Amino acid sequence: MDSKNIYISYQHYSNEIEWEMHEDSEWIYVGADDEFKKEKATELIDSFFEESAIYFITDRRNSALIEKNTAISKIMEAIEEFDPALANADFSKIMEFDKIGVVRKGKRIN
């Protein structure tokens, strides 16, 4: 799937995601800028996605299928400009990162 179609699919399916709640919020703090907790974010990614290849999504031109073990470095590179997201191949699981230092994850409701 090319970058444009990855992004369009993400936009479509993200409206069907039921976000997991953590205490009173769907957002989990992982830190912003120099306080970004790389280990915590990596653990969240590894525990949420079983697949070794996942979609890395930023915009219509820069979204791609990547190896899961490279996801955290891609997120750290992109997070100043974008609010990057990760998704599995059928977009049934999505994880969204926000510039302010939070992440949320959820599964598509059928």
Side-chain angles (χ1 to χ4, degrees):
M1 190 179 308
D2 68 0
S3 180
K4 181 179 176 183
N5 286 319
I6 293 169
Y7 186 76
I8 290 169
S9 295
Y10 161 70
Q11 291 291 307
H12 173 77
Y13 288 120
S14 65
N15 294 323
E16 300 174 12
I17 296 295
E18 184 174 313
W19 302 106
E20 292 180 10
M21 295 299 291
H22 305 275
E23 297 178 15
D24 294 333
S25 175
E26 62 195 34
W27 294 99
I28 303 166
Y29 183 74
V30 291
D33 302 320
D34 294 337
E35 296 177 7
F36 186 78
K37 297 176 180 130
K38 182 179 174 180
E39 296 80 22
K40 183 175 183 177
T42 301
E43 184 179 300
L44 288 169
I45 294 167
D46 288 342
S47 66
F48 189 61
F49 295 106
E50 297 89 26
E51 302 85 355
S52 61
I54 55 178
Y55 287 121
F56 173 72
I57 305 147
T58 55
D59 62 4
R60 289 178 178 262
R61 291 172 300 208
N62 299 304
S63 299
L65 184 66
I66 63 167
E67 291 297 315
K68 180 173 67 172
N69 62 1
T70 65
I72 198 66
S73 62
K74 295 275 193 187
I75 289 166
M76 291 175 72
E77 290 171 10
I79 201 155
E80 289 184 21
E81 185 177 352
F82 301 101
D83 291 329
L86 302 172
N88 62 352
D90 66 357
F91 295 89
S92 62
K93 289 181 165 185
I94 294 177
M95 182 178 282
E96 295 180 338
F97 288 79
D98 191 284
K99 294 176 192 71
I100 64 170
V102 293
V103 60
R104 66 181 177 172
K105 58 185 180 171
K107 297 178 182 174
R108 190 171 63 213
I109 46 180
N110 295 326

